[in-house]
Amino acid sequence: MNAAHLEEPTTLVGALARNAAAYPSRIGFRERDYGIWQEYTWPQVRDRVLALAAGFEQLGVEPGHAVIVVGDNRANLYFSMLAANVLRAFPSPIYPDVPVDELDTFTRFGNPKLAVAEDQEQVDKLVGLRERVGRPQVILYDDPRGLGHDRPEGVFALDEVAERGRARLAADAGLAENLLGRAQPDDITVLLYSSGTTGLPKGIPLRHRNVVGGVENARQGGYFRLHEELFAYLPTAWVGDFVFTLGAGLLLTATINIPERQETVLADIRAVAPTFYLAAPRAWDNMLTRVQVGMADSTPLKRRLFDYFMPHAVEVERNRLGGREPGLWDRCKLAVGEICVYGPIKDYLGLSRAERAFTGGEAMGEDTFLFFRALGIKLKQFYGQTETAALSAAQVEGSVKLQTVGRPMPGVDIRIDESGEILIRSASVIDGYVDDPEASAKALQDGWLRTGDAGYLDEDGQLAVLGRVSEVVRTASGERYIPNYIENRLKFSQYVRNVAVLGAGKPHLTAILCIDLEAVGHWAEKRAITYTSYAELSQRAEVLGLIETVVAHVNTLQPAGLRIKRFVNLHKDFDADDGEITRTRKLRRNVIEERYGKLIDALYSDARDVTFEAEIAYEDGSKGKLSRALAIREVPA
């Protein structure tokens, strides 16, 4: 191995080479298959990646090309991403639930001639894309089930391509070294896409130096450490997975653990017990709901122990965040609680070793945040965007505040302009969007990224994020507010999954809410409230009363002119497949306002209910209409 590969890496490929040479016995990837954990040492990972790269090159992958990657977390998909980087090309991962008629939106950059798919379902979608737009010409698959001898033209097994690559490497003694030395810091390492909440998603190219710089900033701040145990379950098309899992895993020589399927994540994470864990606020909310539901169904003794020790731990943590450390009696009680309650719950969740746990992407509810910190999981919030490799600011132990996302990381400059917008300068910030000079010039000015988020720096230099600058609107009386800020407060409740707050140019605020089926369903079950569907449950008088208490509570935190006066429980959840939210669960406000126009009109009338007609599509392609009577509730002043 060339000595240069042992230096501090400047690319992900360099990190792979360094790991294989410096840590030959360490496990780089571990993947569960049929219940058995398959392990790959770093030299084995390097050899597999090089074999794929040699095979990809034979199939026409060239520098600057995109390689489509679509599927859930699989070791071979990660190896394929790195193989593209070896050739100075770049992966362009796509969310696996993107329907075939939307795929062309996410494959329009980088001349993608080759695609890597997890299984038959994704192959079929890519074949449909190819029939429609002519790309990708070659489709490779990891899982062979359902893909026998009658494969479409240009569809091959990933293993076949790797075997051809190994033959090339065996025939050319210098090829492996040549491949490892090609990647450059300025090369694009991954092409991701913006959420597309207001239009066509933009192509966001992260370069090796962006990811390396961002991870190094996080390491210097103590957010990452060497040799972490990571759990690779996040969507591969999300920046959080690429940077926090693959990027940090390579650069800091971690072990990347991959669950067998998304359906086995809850069981597999217990077997892994990661030391570093990242999840969106909604995932933490779901974990809290699981614990609450589980405790409600447990034995009377366990319920009594939980009800005795958990409120105490939450109160101690609330005091600690307020600067008051626990006394001797509190510490003794916490020690007993760790044995009886906190430890078993952490083990149940698979987080018994999670020394570093983070959440980001949107605001987190105070109850959820305090609960997990009370368990002894030092949960913290971070702030970042795809354009900054997701690494800009984060909380540090000893100065955690509920209302902020922490201080800028080392190497990151943050300032607030005169309009209240957050501006960021860092090595992790992109150079511009793909083939979009207008958007690039608007977002990047004088070395600063205009994030589009509104916020402020408090007296301790900690950043508070309020919402999107573009979403600042006014009511008819001139009251200024950010809908997303109020929506997040409503979603702090376990009973609310999604919500759209309305009121721009209107006399007051109203809301369309989507209940959380699991949490509300369990609440209804405990009260012997019967229902047969989401739609029926959402309209039960008792459930309307429950959601009314949630809205009324949030109203107490709002100025008088920004309280929600009326609301409606929708008969369904907002759905990405219906275009109402993005794949990262961000609200497409313009779609909501257009689709539910009649409902919104009713909210601003004296009507007590409204009949809403929804268009539905059947499996045979035909369409029909479904009518639902939705109750409108007035929130007491």
Side-chain angles (χ1 to χ4, degrees):
M1 183 61 60
N2 190 308
H5 294 319
L6 296 177
E7 299 173 359
E8 282 301 312
T10 57
T11 68
L12 299 192
V13 177
L16 173 62
R18 185 272 315 269
N19 293 350
Y23 305 99
S25 60
R26 287 196 67 86
I27 303 301
F29 282 76
R30 186 184 287 120
E31 180 177 32
R32 202 164 200 170
D33 189 28
Y34 293 104
I36 300 172
W37 288 98
Q38 309 294 329
E39 296 183 338
Y40 301 85
T41 63
W42 281 113
Q44 289 173 326
V45 174
R46 175 200 60 199
D47 294 345
R48 177 69 173 179
V49 168
L50 290 177
L52 288 170
F56 287 3
E57 192 167 46
Q58 278 189 322
L59 293 172
V61 176
E62 300 175 4
H65 277 188
V67 172
I68 299 168
V69 178
V70 57
D72 286 324
N73 313 79
R74 299 259 54 88
N76 274 325
L77 266 60
Y78 287 121
F79 299 160
S80 297
M81 292 183 186
L82 292 171
N85 283 167
V86 165
L87 300 174
R88 303 189 69 187
F90 51 86
S92 183
I94 301 172
Y95 289 98
D97 58 349
V98 170
V100 64
D101 57 354
E102 293 181 23
L103 279 177
D104 52 331
T105 299
F106 299 95
T107 60
R108 65 191 193 276
F109 299 127
N111 189 24
K113 296 179 180 179
L114 184 143
V116 180
E118 178 192 1
D119 53 21
Q120 181 189 7
E121 178 188 358
Q122 305 300 344
V123 168
D124 290 345
K125 287 161 60 175
L126 290 167
V127 169
L129 173 68
R130 184 173 65 186
E131 290 172 351
R132 193 168 70 252
V133 301
R135 63 176 186 271
Q137 292 90 330
V138 179
I139 301 169
L140 311 180
Y141 59 85
D142 179 34
D143 187 344
R145 286 175 292 187
L147 291 160
H149 297 294
D150 297 328
R151 296 179 299 195
E153 183 181 353
V155 176
F156 307 100
L158 205 55
D159 285 342
E160 296 174 22
V161 176
E163 192 58 42
R164 294 181 209 165
R166 275 191 289 270
R168 278 192 69 198
L169 290 165
D172 185 346
L175 181 57
E177 191 70 19
N178 175 274
L179 288 171
L180 285 175
R182 293 186 188 181
Q184 300 297 314
D186 279 338
D187 292 342
I188 297 172
T189 185
V190 67
L191 175 64
L192 302 170
Y193 284 84
S194 66
S195 58
T197 53
T198 57
L200 202 63
K202 296 187 286 289
I204 305 175
L206 290 175
R207 302 179 188 276
H208 287 279
R209 56 178 164 78
N210 297 138
V211 177
V212 171
V215 171
E216 177 58 18
N217 290 343
R219 186 195 66 79
Q220 289 184 16
Y223 307 106
F224 289 140
R225 294 183 185 174
L226 288 173
H227 311 321
E228 298 273 18
E229 288 284 341
L230 305 178
F231 191 60
Y233 77 104
L234 297 165
T236 55
W238 184 45
V239 65
D241 185 66
F242 191 87
V243 173
F244 285 78
T245 303
L246 188 59
L250 283 159
L251 291 162
L252 302 176
T253 327
T255 297
I256 299 171
N257 298 274
I258 304 172
E260 185 158 354
R261 299 186 309 275
Q262 284 295 311
E263 294 80 6
T264 67
V265 162
L266 300 181
D268 294 343
I269 192 174
R270 292 191 66 189
V272 172
T275 60
F276 180 100
Y277 187 70
L278 168 67
R282 177 54 61 179
W284 291 103
D285 290 341
N286 290 341
M287 277 193 282
L288 174 55
T289 299
R290 278 176 53 214
V291 171
Q292 292 170 331
V293 170
M295 292 311 304
D297 292 336
S298 66
T299 64
L301 174 60
K302 288 181 179 179
R303 285 200 299 272
R304 282 197 292 271
L305 288 171
F306 180 83
D307 291 341
Y308 178 74
F309 283 105
M310 273 315 305
H312 173 259
V314 169
E315 188 59 30
V316 167
E317 185 59 31
R318 190 188 303 274
N319 291 337
R320 183 184 281 123
L321 294 181
R324 298 186 298 279
E325 289 297 321
L328 178 60
W329 168 244
D330 286 329
R331 292 198 300 272
C332 291
K333 196 171 177 182
L334 290 174
V336 176
E338 176 67 23
I339 297 170
C340 298
V341 176
Y342 319 139
I345 290 176
K346 286 185 287 188
D347 180 66
Y348 168 71
L349 296 172
L351 300 177
S352 57
R353 295 195 298 167
E355 299 172 17
R356 283 159 298 288
F358 286 88
T359 188
E362 59 182 353
M364 170 175 271
E366 180 178 322
D367 291 345
T368 303
F369 190 69
L370 286 172
F371 176 85
F372 285 102
R373 287 188 59 87
L375 284 178
I377 299 169
K378 299 306 180 186
L379 179 60
K380 302 177 187 70
Q381 299 188 68
F382 81 95
Y383 171 72
Q385 298 176 309
T386 305
E387 290 88 341
T388 68
L391 298 165
S392 300
Q395 296 172 333
V396 295
E397 202 59 38
S399 61
V400 173
K401 295 183 179 181
L402 291 170
Q403 71 274 20
T404 76
V405 294
R407 296 187 181 92
M409 292 180 177
V412 178
D413 295 323
I414 293 180
R415 67 181 177 89
I416 312 297
D417 76 355
E418 60 280 358
S419 68
E421 184 176 1
I422 301 168
L423 275 60
I424 295 177
R425 182 172 60 188
S426 168
S428 64
V429 172
I430 64 169
D431 298 339
Y433 299 105
V434 177
D435 295 341
D436 197 338
E438 183 178 346
S440 299
K442 183 178 179 182
L444 294 152
Q445 298 175 9
D446 300 323
W448 293 87
L449 171 72
R450 305 191 70 89
T451 65
D453 287 332
Y456 63 89
L457 292 166
D458 71 6
E459 65 280 359
D460 295 328
Q462 297 206 37
L463 177 66
V465 182
L466 300 176
R468 299 296 290 172
V469 172
S470 60
E471 291 190 348
V472 175
V473 292
R474 295 180 184 273
T475 63
S477 61
E479 292 277 3
R480 183 174 177 267
Y481 73 101
I482 299 176
N484 182 250
Y485 183 74
I486 304 173
E487 288 159 359
N488 282 333
R489 285 176 175 261
L490 289 164
K491 287 192 291 183
F492 288 167
S493 166
Q494 61 177 313
Y495 303 119
V496 177
R497 181 162 174 80
N498 277 304
V499 58
V501 170
L502 312 157
K506 303 289 188 180
H508 54 260
L509 303 191
T510 60
I512 301 173
L513 293 110
C514 306
I515 63 171
D516 186 293
L517 180 60
E518 182 180 5
V520 176
H522 182 73
W523 179 88
E525 178 185 340
K526 289 299 180 183
R527 289 157 180 77
I529 300 170
T530 60
Y531 64 96
T532 58
S533 65
Y534 182 107
E536 182 181 354
L537 179 63
S538 71
Q539 300 307 305
R540 290 296 303 253
E542 300 92 336
V543 172
L544 288 164
L546 170 67
I547 300 302
E548 182 183 303
T549 63
V550 173
V551 177
H553 170 68
V554 172
N555 276 352
T556 65
L557 307 174
Q558 293 290 111
L562 294 178
R563 292 173 184 161
I564 295 169
K565 186 175 180 181
R566 284 156 63 87
F567 74 92
V568 61
N569 280 353
L570 201 60
H571 60 284
K572 60 179 278 298
D573 193 7
F574 293 147
D575 196 329
D577 288 337
D578 294 338
E580 296 164 341
I581 54 175
T582 69
R583 300 289 161 186
T584 53
R585 305 201 63 79
K586 293 179 181 176
L587 195 70
R588 285 196 168 109
R589 204 169 301 279
N590 56 338
V591 175
I592 299 298
E593 291 175 354
E594 179 181 348
R595 181 164 298 165
Y596 299 104
K598 181 180 178 182
L599 190 54
I600 294 169
D601 290 342
L603 282 167
Y604 285 97
S605 71
D606 295 328
R608 309 308 302 173
D609 56 59
V610 59
T611 300
F612 182 78
E613 288 191 346
E615 187 177 86
I616 56 174
Y618 297 102
E619 290 185 0
D620 61 2
S622 61
K623 293 186 177 181
K625 288 200 172 181
L626 187 66
S627 293
R628 292 283 184 190
L630 306 178
I632 295 175
R633 273 284 181 122
E634 193 99 14
V635 184

